[in-house]
Amino acid sequence: MQSDLKRKRGLSVLDLLPLIEARSARVGVIGLGYVGLPVACILADNGFHVTGVDINAQKVETINRGQSPIGGEEPGVAELVARVVAAGRLRASTAVTDLAEAHIVLICVDTPVEPDTHLPLYRGLRGALTSLGPVLRDGALVIIESTIAPGTISGVVIPALEEASGKKAGVDFFVGHCPERVTPGRLIQNLVTMSRAVGGQTPDVAKVMVALYSTYVTGELDPTDPLTAEVVKTAENSYRDVQIAFANELAVVCETLGADVYAVRELLNKSPGRAMLMPGAGVGGHCIPKDPWLLIANARDQVEARLIPAARAVNDRMPEHMVTLTERALAKHNVSLQGARIAVLGYAFREDTDDDRESPSRYFVEALERCGATAIVHDPHVPAYQRPLEEVVTNADAAVFMVAHRAYQNIDLEWLRGALRHPVVVDGRNVVDVNAAASAGLTYIGVGRRLL
Ligand SMILES: NC(=O)c1ccc[n+]([C@@H]2O[C@H](COP(=O)([O-])OP(=O)(O)OC[C@H]3O[C@@H](n4cnc5c(N)ncnc54)[C@H](O)[C@@H]3O)[C@@H](O)[C@H]2O)c1
């Protein structure tokens, strides 16, 4: 009934423009993780009243104390959380009902894929939509910032919100998709400076979204439709995955041929238009390992995608390859992998962050254990593995560099050699200087280096 009355009056998404301009639009953010928390903080810092909602009560409590639950080296985030919470501009809650007054709701929940089928697992997304629906304000704009499979706005988001709210998309509420491009370690800088594909259900929705993001984004804001935005986001990470897979495959080929992939890469990149990436011990994080699967999820019944799954397979094999390299280096000292004690240096998926989702180190440790080795893990940022480095390397049969944390960059190789039971270093991230390792009397083996 209320909805019918409003419809007669004619709800327009453009009504939100003056509210955005005056910063009087109330903003809700669902999902306060690596993406949602910084977004909520930046909007709050720009003058909006923001309510953040998360199902994780501990996270909500931490934020309401003015602290950031994000660890690692994350410039600016802790200060921003403290500032906007103290100013009363950001409040976190576990209750979606607190978004009943929100004019704009950003959804930033995690969007994993099912490990066996690689199909999207939208538990968080569906949960957010079905809980938001009943309290969704007339005229509200709902923006999905999470990465989603192309076709999800039309096939999942709109139907789920319409069903849960009893309202009609494009009439009683509006929907857009503005995928995030951030990387842990540079969240604030990325959020502010990177360009964005702004997918609105209609050009007017995109216009309002551009107005909202203009309040803090200095990068270009490109209005488009939701499907294009869905494809752009999943394709850009698929592209990166394919590029990394090329570097990894070339690295393994170089090892066998006796060439050095880093020397090859430097010269290869002198050829115009070439920009080969670095090879490494594997690809992790919440995004790149699943976004290629999201890209093809709704097309794969009709199109046989070959390159994208092949790239996933190449990159997924790297932790296993690290085990092969470790075994080979140990053999130089007549040490078998079975029963060996391996110091694993780094557990986060990326240097200087605490994010260990889909960490290649996890798969490396599992593969080591299958071979009968014992893994002792160190990571300066991941709470479960924060312990003295000395404790981890002392009497280990090999030290394996899995992450290029700053803490490992200038490691004293003489000291390392003295601590290890056998002087074996395996380098999955090009962290150790090969010549310095040789001078320190270490047996060095690395991804893309000539095999021993
Ligand atoms: N992490 C990145 O660097 C990054 C970069 C670009 C895009 N993305 C995309 O952004 C999205 C979020 O990623 P993230 O890294 O911030 O994930 P995250 O796991 O750090 O945060 C997601 C948060 O959502 C909460 N949540 C889940 N379901 C909920 C629900 N129904 N109601 C309320 N809260 C709920 C979780 O408790 C969690 O705190 C994903 O789609 C991801 O692919 C992430």
Side-chain angles (χ1 to χ4, degrees):
M1 181 64 165
Q2 189 205 15
S3 192
D4 286 347
L5 287 174
K6 296 261 184 180
R7 209 170 295 161
K8 271 185 214 140
R9 208 188 64 197
L11 278 175
S12 167
V13 70
L14 299 175
D15 292 345
L16 293 173
L17 284 175
L19 302 183
I20 292 170
E21 177 78 13
R23 306 293 192 268
S24 55
R26 300 222 151 230
V27 180
V29 176
I30 304 184
L32 298 172
Y34 288 90
V35 166
L37 178 61
V39 170
C41 288
I42 286 185
L43 284 164
D45 207 38
N46 273 279
F48 291 99
H49 268 100
V50 182
T51 304
V53 174
D54 203 291
I55 47 175
N56 182 330
Q58 206 182 337
K59 222 176 240 191
V60 165
E61 242 176 68
T62 306
I63 295 166
N64 282 336
R65 277 202 307 271
Q67 291 166 359
S68 168
I70 300 176
E73 294 181 19
E74 202 53 81
V77 173
E79 296 85 334
L80 201 49
V81 176
R83 185 160 75 233
V84 294
V85 171
R89 295 210 165 274
L90 172 67
R91 196 178 69 79
S93 166
T94 52
V96 185
T97 45
D98 287 353
L99 301 186
E101 296 298 312
H103 299 93
I104 299 170
V105 179
L106 309 183
I107 298 187
C108 308
V109 299
D110 44 313
T111 47
V113 294
E114 209 275 322
D116 297 326
T117 62
H118 304 129
L119 287 169
L121 255 185
Y122 285 149
R123 209 174 295 133
L125 182 64
R126 285 184 190 279
L129 297 167
T130 51
S131 58
L132 176 65
V135 297
L136 189 65
R137 177 184 189 140
D138 277 331
L141 168 61
V142 179
I143 302 172
I144 308 300
E145 288 216 355
S146 300
T147 307
I148 47 180
T152 299
I153 290 286
S154 60
V156 175
V157 175
I158 290 177
L161 264 183
E162 286 186 336
E163 192 184 332
S165 65
K167 300 180 202 284
K168 187 97 190 96
V171 178
D172 305 310
F173 68 92
F174 308 96
V175 175
H177 176 44
C178 189
E180 278 296 350
R181 286 180 161 149
V182 295
T183 306
R186 301 184 211 133
L187 293 174
I188 300 289
Q189 196 227 3
N190 286 169
L191 273 177
V192 172
T193 60
M194 287 181 117
S195 70
R196 303 283 289 270
V198 184
Q201 197 186 356
T202 63
D204 278 352
V205 174
K207 185 173 175 182
V208 172
M209 291 168 71
V210 167
L212 175 73
Y213 287 104
S214 300
T215 62
Y216 67 90
V217 175
T218 58
E220 277 180 71
L221 296 168
D222 300 306
T224 184
D225 57 88
L227 178 65
T228 304
E230 290 169 329
V231 178
V232 167
K233 172 64 201 183
T234 49
E236 66 198 26
N237 275 353
S238 306
Y239 183 61
R240 193 157 179 84
D241 200 45
V242 168
Q243 287 181 305
I244 296 170
F246 175 80
N248 283 337
E249 191 146 291
L250 185 63
V252 177
V253 169
C254 283
E255 288 167 15
T256 311
L257 296 176
D260 181 313
V261 78
Y262 300 99
V264 168
R265 174 178 176 268
E266 197 182 321
L267 301 184
L268 183 158
N269 282 343
K270 293 196 172 183
S271 179
R274 312 306 194 271
M276 185 188 144
L277 299 180
M278 293 284 267
V283 172
H286 178 49
C287 296
I288 294 192
K290 54 106 175 139
D291 290 354
W293 298 119
L294 290 178
L295 171 62
I296 61 173
N298 290 324
R300 67 191 215 184
D301 285 348
Q302 289 137 68
V303 183
E304 192 196 348
R306 294 183 189 175
L307 181 62
I308 286 168
R312 284 283 63 244
V314 168
N315 291 335
D316 278 351
R317 204 183 54 197
M318 293 312 286
E320 194 85 44
H321 183 64
M322 287 295 291
V323 175
T324 307
L325 293 182
T326 307
E327 191 167 28
R328 202 178 267 259
L330 286 173
K332 283 275 152 198
H333 294 266
N334 296 318
V335 178
S336 156
L337 195 53
Q338 171 139 29
R341 182 184 147 98
I342 309 297
V344 179
L345 306 189
Y347 199 79
F349 91 89
R350 183 187 163 83
E351 62 275 13
D352 302 320
T353 93
D354 68 338
D355 189 348
D356 62 355
R357 288 177 290 176
E358 293 303 311
S359 159
S361 296
R362 168 152 63 97
Y363 299 103
F364 177 62
V365 167
E366 285 172 9
L368 280 178
E369 286 170 355
R370 279 197 300 276
C371 295
T374 302
I376 309 114
V377 183
H378 175 270
D379 194 294
H381 301 297
V382 177
Y385 303 112
Q386 283 170 327
R387 46 187 163 195
L389 185 57
E390 187 168 9
E391 189 181 304
V392 174
V393 295
T394 299
N395 285 329
D397 293 297
V400 181
F401 289 85
M402 289 295 290
V403 184
H405 284 312
R406 213 186 315 276
Y408 304 146
Q409 297 281 350
N410 294 313
I411 202 160
D412 182 339
L413 296 175
E414 303 277 352
W415 168 82
L416 182 61
R417 181 175 177 236
L420 290 167
R421 188 184 308 163
H422 294 100
V424 173
V425 161
V426 186
D427 193 353
R429 298 290 174 193
N430 199 25
V431 174
V432 176
D433 180 84
V434 185
N435 296 325
S439 306
L442 288 160
T443 299
Y444 174 98
I445 193 167
V447 167
R449 305 285 191 186
R450 190 177 314 130
L451 288 179
L452 297 169

